[in-house]
């Protein structure tokens, strides 16, 4: 039977007139004293929190992670402590460059962020559906994102900006090739892999450190839209990925991903034993050298009851790790450790981790106080400083992380030309070579379509620069794109 609840103001006062404003006579001016009118309009004016700068449009769901294989020789993280152990998770998928009202089927990487609610705190694994990224130094991140947003002059998306930046940054080739393949338009969120992307570390009970990559392999199988299918879906259903994820979970068809890791020893990573920098986010670790190791299964099985409460207010940060998981010298990871929590404080407020979807469900104790939206008692009468003589909060030395080895005594601004750091062609070349002929042609067609949007007085320079980069990736790729753009290689400057 439906319960009967009184209609009240936000302060709890019951009221009646929710549709009619108080006025002087039926056609007269409104009265300032109609507080309900002010409360409704003022709240409406403030309903929209700042949009995420990137990953603005997304979908999310709750679920569980279950351990299926023993990896305790690599990590003491409690989430992996025993077979069959289940941990609650919240997961958010997203596009990257578009605004909140953009289409789900745009050619774009997809965000793949997971919050594990562990007894040692929340662990956020914030990645994408690609194992690499466009840049490897965080100083370039803002500039790159600006090229994916709107031209400050025209307020339009600009292929010229995108390709100008990419052609000046060969390190982007690997990610751009993935983006321009059919993997750039996945069929919703259920049919794509997810990656932690960065190199992280794991620490075991003996305080031994291992470097790891996280892979979430879709149990539904890879499925992509072609460029034409993505465009058709964009005109048919702008929210296809949201609808597909929500409807399948609601119908009991729970999507799953199999978590696997790659492991590299500290010696292999830090002693220069491997032939490229393992902390470079534009590179993958070959599976032949570092095979995938099974860990567990992630399942999404519960839709949020309120989208804004959980999906829009979900806040992820790579800074949030737990005992047994550590960082690495990955430069992009180091930059995100700072930038992500800073973005969340701007968007949601300094106490964003008290919002239910972000709140650790187990005990947490600290000396943070005050700030906007502090709603948990603010520490009560307990001291707000440390050390003190009054509370019983102890520091558990068993959680102390071992030192992170550094292989240099010099701090400098190392550029792209450092030895072993400037091969940006081999890995995208191998990726193109393992594609089927149909996938290769689709990728060429997609690149031609995207580069055809380059315009302006520097069009020829930008196109030429990018064509030479594609040719260095693979001659067939470069010649195929040149043919599609009607550019003859012999006419290009040497």
């Amino acid at each position: 039977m439906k319960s009967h609840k009184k209609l009240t103001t936000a302060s709890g006062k019951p009221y009646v007139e929710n549709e009619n404003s108080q006025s002087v006579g039926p056609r007269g001016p409104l009265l300032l004293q109609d507080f309900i009118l002010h409360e409704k309009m003022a709240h409406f004016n403030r309903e929209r929190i700042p949009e995420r700068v990137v990953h603005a449009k997304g979908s999310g769901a709750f679920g569980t992670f279950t351990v299926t294989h023993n990896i305790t020789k690599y990590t003491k993280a409690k989430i992996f402590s025993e077979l069959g152990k289940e941990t609650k998770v919240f997961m958010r998928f997203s596009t990257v460059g578009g605004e909140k009202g953009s289409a789900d089927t745009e050619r774009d990487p997809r965000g793949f962020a997971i919050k594990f609610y562990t007894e040692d705190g929340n662990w956020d694994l914030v990645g994408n559906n690609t194992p690499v990224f466009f840049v490897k130094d965080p100083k370039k991140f803002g500039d790159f994102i600006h090229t994916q947003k709107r031209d400050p002059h025209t307020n339009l998306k600009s292929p010229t900006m995108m390709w100008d930046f990419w052609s000046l940054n060969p390190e982007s080739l690997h990610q751009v090739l993935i983006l321009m393949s059919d993997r750039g338009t996945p069929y919703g969120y259920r049919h794509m892999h997810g990656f932690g992307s960065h190199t992280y570390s794991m620490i075991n009970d003996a305080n031994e450190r291992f470097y790891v990559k996280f892979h979430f392999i879709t149990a539904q199988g890879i499925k992509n839209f072609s460029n034409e299918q993505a465009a058709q879906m964009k005109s048919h259903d702008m929210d296809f990925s949201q609808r597909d994820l929500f409807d399948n979970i609601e119908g009991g068809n729970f999507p799953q991903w199999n978590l696997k890791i790659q492991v590299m020893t500290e010696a292999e990573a830090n002693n220069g034993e491997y032939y490229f920098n393992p902390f470079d986010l534009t590179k993958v670790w070959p599976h032949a050298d570092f095979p995938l190791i099974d860990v567990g299964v992630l399942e999404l099985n519960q839709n949020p009851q309120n989208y804004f409460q959980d999906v829009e207010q979900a806040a992820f940060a790579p800074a949030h790790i737990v005992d047994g998981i550590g960082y690495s010298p990955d430069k992009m990871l180091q930059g995100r450790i700072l930038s992500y929590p800073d973005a969340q404080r701007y968007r949601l407020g300094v106490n964003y981790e008290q919002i239910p979807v972000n709140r650790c469900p187990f005990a947490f104790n600290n000396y943070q106080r005050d700030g906007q939206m502090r709603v948990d008692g603010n520490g009560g009468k307990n001291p707000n400083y440390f050390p003190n003589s009054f509370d019983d909060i102890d520091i558990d030395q068993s959680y102390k992380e071992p030192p992170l080895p550094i292989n240099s005594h010099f701090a400098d601004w190392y550029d792209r030309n450092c030895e072993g750091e400037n091969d940006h062609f081999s890995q995208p070349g191998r990726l193109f070579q393992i594609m089927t002929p149909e996938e290769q042609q689709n990728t060429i067609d997609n690149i031609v379509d995207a580069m055809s949007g380059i315009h302006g007085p520097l069009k020829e320079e930008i196109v030429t620069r990018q064509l030479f980069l594609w040719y260095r990736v693979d001659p067939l790729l470069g010649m195929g794109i040149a043919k599609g753009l009607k550019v003859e290689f012999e006419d290009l400057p040497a």
Side-chain angles (χ1 to χ4, degrees):
M1 182 178 178
K2 188 175 181 179
S3 61
H4 296 280
K5 299 177 181 178
K6 295 179 181 178
L7 179 66
T8 72
T9 65
S11 61
K13 177 183 180 296
Y15 68 93
V16 176
E17 293 292 351
N18 195 36
E19 298 179 85
N20 303 305
S21 300
Q22 192 175 30
S23 61
V24 182
R27 299 184 181 181
L30 303 184
L31 297 183
L32 184 63
Q33 72 178 29
D34 190 346
F35 170 73
I36 305 302
L37 171 63
H38 300 310
E39 183 172 273
K40 290 185 70 173
M41 294 189 70
H43 189 279
F44 176 79
N45 288 344
R46 293 161 175 80
E47 282 180 358
R48 296 296 176 263
I49 61 177
E51 184 178 277
R52 288 173 168 89
V53 177
V54 288
H55 301 279
K57 187 179 185 187
S59 305
F62 292 97
T64 55
F65 171 74
T66 305
V67 178
T68 58
H69 292 76
N70 184 358
I71 60 166
T72 54
K73 67 179 180 180
Y74 301 121
T75 180
K76 58 184 174 181
K78 292 180 181 175
I79 184 175
F80 304 119
S81 61
E82 57 186 87
L83 296 180
K85 183 169 184 174
E86 292 188 357
T87 300
K88 184 177 179 180
V89 303
F90 180 79
M91 191 167 175
R92 185 177 185 269
F93 307 93
S94 59
T95 52
V96 175
E99 297 93 351
K100 198 171 187 304
S102 58
D104 283 352
T105 54
E106 295 283 5
R107 182 168 300 280
D108 203 7
R110 301 300 192 267
F112 197 97
I114 312 166
K115 189 180 294 291
F116 299 88
Y117 301 100
T118 89
E119 60 264 54
D120 265 348
N122 292 347
W123 172 33
D124 290 350
L125 190 58
V126 190
N128 287 324
N129 71 326
T130 58
V132 295
F133 194 62
F134 297 92
V135 293
K136 60 182 179 180
D137 192 296
K139 272 192 177 178
K140 295 183 178 183
F141 182 76
D143 296 299
F144 162 66
I145 293 300
H146 286 164
T147 71
Q148 307 302 298
K149 294 292 187 177
R150 294 182 179 273
D151 186 323
H153 175 54
T154 65
N155 197 41
L156 300 170
K157 292 293 186 74
S158 170
T160 306
M161 288 166 49
M162 295 181 191
W163 288 104
D164 185 37
F165 183 87
W166 288 337
S167 67
L168 290 167
N169 286 275
E171 68 201 66
S172 68
L173 281 166
H174 200 168
Q175 174 73 304
V176 174
L177 186 63
I178 295 173
L179 178 64
M180 291 298 153
S181 73
D182 287 343
R183 290 174 63 184
T185 49
Y187 186 92
Y189 297 129
R190 297 180 302 118
H191 293 279
M192 67 183 194
H193 297 331
F195 303 88
S197 300
H198 294 290
T199 301
Y200 290 88
S201 56
M202 283 184 165
I203 302 160
N204 65 17
D205 282 329
N207 269 348
E208 297 171 315
R209 187 185 300 272
F210 301 86
Y211 289 109
V212 297
K213 294 275 196 180
F214 294 99
H215 301 247
F216 291 84
I217 308 302
T218 175
Q220 290 70 239
I222 290 289
K223 187 176 181 182
N224 298 312
F225 286 115
S226 68
N227 200 43
E228 294 74 19
Q229 290 169 333
Q232 290 172 1
M233 184 55 72
K234 181 178 177 180
S235 64
H236 175 68
D237 185 357
M238 296 272 285
D239 304 312
F240 169 78
S241 298
Q242 164 72 15
R243 196 179 316 281
D244 178 74
L245 181 68
F246 184 92
D247 288 351
N248 274 277
I249 294 175
E250 202 72 0
N253 183 27
F254 302 141
Q256 293 183 341
W257 287 262
N258 297 306
L259 172 59
K260 301 172 185 287
I261 60 173
Q262 290 176 286
V263 177
M264 181 182 293
T265 66
E266 223 174 36
E268 288 171 315
N270 291 324
N271 295 344
E273 295 182 14
Y274 205 62
Y275 65 94
F276 66 81
N277 180 0
F279 307 119
D280 181 346
L281 184 56
T282 67
K283 304 288 193 297
V284 297
W285 295 359
H287 291 188
D289 295 339
F290 305 98
L292 295 177
I293 299 169
D294 290 313
V295 180
V297 176
L298 186 151
E299 177 184 273
L300 296 181
N301 49 37
Q302 180 187 342
N303 281 317
Q305 292 298 304
N306 184 277
Y307 178 91
F308 179 87
Q309 172 182 277
D310 294 325
V311 184
E312 192 63 21
Q313 292 192 118
F316 301 88
H320 298 159
I321 56 175
V322 294
D323 188 46
I325 306 292
Y327 306 129
S328 82
D330 181 331
K331 291 180 180 179
M332 284 296 293
L333 174 60
Q334 295 281 322
R336 294 175 81 203
I337 290 170
L338 166 69
S339 66
Y340 272 61
D342 186 55
Q344 306 299 3
R345 293 184 190 102
Y346 164 73
R347 192 172 68 90
L348 298 170
V350 68
N351 290 306
Y352 71 91
E353 291 185 272
Q354 293 183 33
I355 297 171
V357 69
N358 302 321
R359 187 181 179 94
C360 175
F362 301 95
F364 61 94
N365 302 287
N366 58 49
Y367 297 93
Q368 295 176 0
R369 299 289 188 271
D370 308 341
Q372 290 183 335
M373 298 302 293
R374 187 82 199 210
V375 295
D376 67 343
N378 200 34
K381 63 180 182 179
N382 296 319
N384 64 349
Y385 61 94
F386 179 87
N388 69 77
S389 305
F390 302 100
D391 66 27
D392 58 355
I393 298 177
D394 296 320
I395 295 177
D396 188 341
Q397 294 292 337
S398 68
Y399 285 87
K400 187 174 182 179
E401 186 174 316
L404 183 69
I406 304 297
N407 63 353
S408 176
H409 299 292
F410 300 95
D412 202 349
W413 289 267
Y414 295 100
D415 64 26
R416 69 177 66 173
N417 295 316
C418 291
E419 184 178 354
E421 299 290 332
N422 58 359
D423 177 8
H424 308 303
F425 308 99
S426 297
Q427 289 203 354
R430 285 194 290 271
L431 175 60
F432 182 75
Q433 290 152 18
I434 65 172
M435 292 181 181
T436 66
E438 180 183 2
E439 290 170 339
Q440 288 181 341
Q441 190 58 53
N442 286 347
T443 301
I444 290 171
D445 292 343
N446 294 336
I447 293 172
V448 169
D449 182 60
M451 289 184 65
S452 296
I454 302 172
H455 65 277
L458 296 180
K459 174 181 178 179
E460 183 178 345
E461 178 183 335
I462 296 170
V463 169
T464 300
R465 196 163 55 217
Q466 186 65 45
L467 277 176
F468 273 116
L469 294 180
W470 287 132
Y471 190 84
R472 292 184 67 183
V473 169
D474 187 277
L476 291 178
L477 174 64
M479 290 189 292
I481 297 168
K483 181 180 178 182
L485 292 172
K486 297 181 173 57
V487 175
E488 297 293 334
F489 254 99
E490 53 265 30
D491 295 338
L492 296 174

